[in-house]
Amino acid sequence: MAGVSIEDVRKFALEKELDEDLAFKIVEQTLKAAYKTAFKTDVNAVVITGDDAVSIYARKKIVDDVVNPVLEVDIEEATKLAPDCELGDELLFELDPKDFKRGSIQAGVQRVHQSTREIQKDSIYSEYKAKEGEIIIGYYQRKKNDNIYVDLGKVEGLLPRKFQLPQEIYHPNDRIKALIKEVKKHRQSNVVQLILSRTDPDFVRRLMELEVPEIYDNIVELYKIVREPGYRTKVAVISHREDVDPVGACVGPKGTRIQTIITELEGEKIDVLEYSSDPAVFIANALSPAEVLDVVILDAEKRTALAVVAESQLSIAIGKQGLNVRLANRLADWSIDVKTEKQFQEMDIHAETRKAAEELFNDEAVLLTEVEGIDPDVLALLHENHIETVEQFLDTSHQELCALPGMSEEKVKTLEALINESFEIVDENQEPEQEAQPENQTMSAPAEDAEEEVYECPECGAPITIDMTVCPNCGVGLSFEYEDEE
């Protein structure tokens, strides 16, 4: 039997850890390479895989006069192989690889070995490229410039210093579990190398997926993970079933599940908390393990908020060197300020945030900032003098308002008019109003029962009586004329 036996090809595939189809392709390339070395061409070389062997043939054209014996055969010789053949037909002549010169075989084998190595490396690259983002286990091999080289079997792993936990120390043959962050193939050497990481948030994600069955079954979802590698990690989780507590599932009975992950991370603290679509609730959760009394949304568009905590919880909420609140900021994607109750009450919150603060303490006062059209400079002047609500404004006399630094009679009147337009000011003790004459400051009233009549100031509209000479609201001078009945 000429050719290479099928059994030998399968043994070759097993030894080289190759797919059988790939092994057959390599044998085909080897035979063709040997043929080309022997005959200077392989255009007419045909490799056929049969049931028992892989054979190589020379395809030759039948001619009267042979010019190139590699490509042609005369009719006389052809008829010995195929009696019914004719000129112009093509025949296949089987060759025995053993008949090739030794040099031809060696050249073919060398060429295919090189091709095999490239194919193997491409195969390894494709295999591990598909595993990027997954966890792999290897063993400490050597260290150079603080970078650790890891033996992964088929390939070598590199754990750069920046992707190592700060407290980790490795020794030869130590087991190393890490995330495949990137797969590289060097252009010149064609060597495949895996870049590993133990600091990536996805490393924690994969560890939790391995330890928590509810995550694997998509009952619990890992919403977001933020890390300060080696110190603290915060994990926000969601349950897709009402009867499953996402935090409890991740922590495990008596904390066994989360403790396994903490051990793998060399004692790094892990806060598992529940995600909420309500920013205030999520911010309070994100500051775990601190207990938050309340959260005030200062500016929803700018995503700024204030968390109020008890005095004993302040240091926990902020964390060492601000680590806890910094991670909470990243997790919630909000800028969070933390204050104690006392600090919050003493704060001079800017006018546009006063509403949120008053809602926190159930104050129903109407802010001057809610009145449309008020000059911002006037608001600032009033704020400086602790006049921030409509009620406080109305409790301050016209003269006192005019006497405020930077305030003028014109500004006060304009503001009073805006408030009168925006709100219905009702005096519970006053009698029903009579129609006033706004065109003239001189009022007319019947002589009888004049003391019981209530009128309206022609300037500001405030209620006045006939015994008044000055409007108590705007300060304008008043005079009344009485007409005798005819």
Side-chain angles (χ1 to χ4, degrees):
M1 178 186 67
V4 182
S5 71
I6 296 295
E7 185 179 349
D8 287 342
V9 176
R10 286 174 176 160
K11 287 181 180 178
F12 169 70
L14 196 60
E15 289 173 2
K16 298 294 184 181
E17 297 182 350
L18 297 173
D19 181 78
E20 278 194 10
D21 290 339
L22 180 59
F24 279 103
K25 187 174 181 180
I26 290 171
V27 170
E28 177 184 338
Q29 290 177 344
T30 303
L31 292 172
K32 282 190 175 183
Y35 184 98
K36 184 173 184 179
T37 302
F39 300 108
K40 310 303 179 186
T41 182
D42 63 356
V43 294
N44 66 327
V46 179
V47 178
I48 297 176
T49 301
D51 294 334
D52 300 319
V54 180
S55 304
I56 186 165
Y57 298 82
R59 185 176 63 245
K60 297 184 179 183
K61 187 175 183 180
I62 302 172
V63 295
D64 274 332
D65 187 13
V66 175
V67 177
N68 187 342
V70 175
L71 304 175
E72 300 169 337
V73 62
D74 61 38
I75 185 67
E76 184 178 346
E77 186 177 350
T79 54
K80 292 178 184 179
L81 182 64
D84 297 333
C85 67
E86 298 178 356
L87 288 171
D89 291 345
E90 291 184 337
L91 295 178
L92 293 178
F93 293 85
E94 185 176 1
L95 304 176
D96 190 339
K98 296 178 182 178
D99 294 337
F100 291 147
K101 292 181 181 180
R102 184 177 180 83
S104 300
I105 294 294
Q106 288 179 337
V109 170
Q110 183 178 0
R111 181 177 170 187
V112 170
H113 276 174
Q114 182 180 356
S115 175
T116 303
R117 286 194 295 270
E118 291 177 357
I119 290 172
Q120 285 178 314
K121 287 174 181 176
D122 286 342
S123 176
I124 290 171
Y125 175 79
S126 299
E127 176 187 347
Y128 285 100
K129 189 69 176 176
K131 294 180 179 179
E132 280 187 350
E134 295 183 7
I135 285 179
I136 195 168
I137 298 175
Y139 295 89
Y140 179 98
Q141 192 175 51
R142 67 184 190 279
K143 186 175 183 179
K144 184 178 180 182
N145 298 329
D146 288 333
N147 299 322
I148 295 173
Y149 292 83
V150 184
D151 180 8
L152 299 170
K154 293 181 184 180
V155 294
E156 183 179 65
L158 175 64
L159 183 59
R161 182 72 191 93
K162 63 181 179 178
F163 295 149
Q164 300 170 30
L165 297 179
Q167 67 271 39
E168 289 181 321
I169 299 175
Y170 294 104
H171 302 93
N173 297 319
D174 276 356
R175 169 186 165 280
I176 297 177
K177 182 184 285 187
L179 184 84
I180 302 175
K181 189 171 182 68
E182 186 181 0
V183 179
K184 288 185 175 181
K185 185 168 68 172
H186 298 280
R187 293 182 180 179
Q188 294 180 347
S189 63
N190 213 28
V191 172
V192 178
Q193 187 178 62
L194 274 58
I195 307 300
L196 308 178
S197 173
R198 284 176 56 81
T199 60
D200 197 289
D202 278 339
F203 183 49
V204 177
R205 181 182 297 274
R206 296 303 181 195
L207 290 174
M208 294 191 71
E209 288 173 351
L210 292 172
E211 291 295 328
V212 184
E214 289 85 351
I215 296 176
Y216 181 81
D217 294 334
N218 293 320
I219 297 172
V220 173
E221 177 188 344
L222 297 174
Y223 175 76
K224 189 174 181 180
I225 301 176
V226 293
R227 285 185 77 187
E228 193 75 29
Y231 301 100
R232 187 179 287 275
T233 290
K234 286 186 180 288
V235 183
V237 294
I238 306 171
S239 176
H240 295 301
R241 274 177 42 182
E242 293 183 359
D243 61 331
V244 175
D245 173 19
V247 176
C250 293
V251 173
K254 297 182 180 179
T256 52
R257 292 175 178 175
I258 202 68
Q259 190 56 50
T260 301
I261 300 171
I262 291 172
T263 301
E264 179 62 46
L265 299 178
E266 300 289 340
E268 181 176 318
K269 293 180 175 64
I270 300 178
D271 300 327
V272 182
L273 53 103
E274 189 169 3
Y275 168 76
S276 173
S277 57
D278 183 338
V281 174
F282 190 32
I283 288 169
N285 293 347
L287 286 168
S288 172
E291 296 179 7
V292 179
L293 299 176
D294 242 312
V295 174
V296 181
I297 303 300
L298 301 180
D299 191 321
E301 291 185 4
K302 295 180 179 179
R303 298 178 74 85
T304 58
L306 182 84
V308 183
V309 299
E311 183 74 34
S312 61
Q313 295 292 305
L314 183 61
S315 60
I316 300 174
I318 295 175
K320 188 176 182 180
Q321 297 180 344
L323 177 60
N324 194 61
V325 71
R326 188 163 64 247
L327 285 174
N329 285 343
R330 287 164 53 192
L331 186 69
D333 196 24
W334 279 69
S335 179
I336 307 167
D337 191 13
V338 182
K339 298 291 182 183
T340 64
E341 290 178 285
K342 183 178 180 181
Q343 289 173 333
F344 179 76
Q345 291 170 1
E346 292 175 350
M347 285 178 63
D348 186 17
I349 301 176
H350 196 266
E352 62 262 24
T353 66
R354 177 64 67 178
K355 181 179 180 181
E358 291 181 343
E359 287 177 351
L360 177 64
F361 294 103
N362 298 317
D363 191 341
E364 297 181 354
V366 179
L367 300 177
L368 287 170
T369 52
E370 297 178 20
V371 182
E372 294 185 5
I374 298 182
D375 188 333
D377 292 337
V378 173
L379 280 175
L381 286 171
L382 294 172
H383 175 74
E384 290 173 3
N385 289 276
H386 309 290
I387 301 173
E388 298 174 354
T389 67
V390 173
E391 184 178 4
Q392 289 172 334
F393 178 82
L394 294 175
D395 288 343
T396 308
S397 70
H398 179 84
Q399 289 82 356
E400 289 175 328
L401 291 170
C402 293
L404 295 176
M407 194 68 77
S408 65
E409 177 87 19
E410 183 181 354
K411 291 179 180 178
V412 172
K413 288 182 178 180
T414 302
L415 184 53
E416 289 170 340
L418 283 172
I419 290 176
N420 286 327
E421 289 176 5
S422 302
F423 301 95
E424 182 179 355
I425 311 300
V426 177
D427 185 350
E428 295 180 353
N429 297 319
Q430 74 178 41
E431 296 293 331
E433 298 180 4
Q434 298 293 325
E435 184 177 352
Q437 299 178 11
E439 296 182 359
N440 197 311
Q441 295 181 4
T442 301
M443 309 295 294
S444 298
E448 294 182 12
D449 299 326
E451 292 181 356
E452 297 180 2
E453 297 291 343
V454 178
Y455 300 91
E456 187 177 274
C457 175
E459 184 68 25
C460 68
I464 58 175
T465 57
I466 59 173
D467 59 336
M468 296 179 182
T469 57
V470 177
C471 175
N473 186 51
C474 66
V476 69
L478 301 173
S479 64
F480 293 84
E481 295 180 0
Y482 298 89
E483 297 179 357
D484 295 330
E485 293 181 359
E486 292 180 2

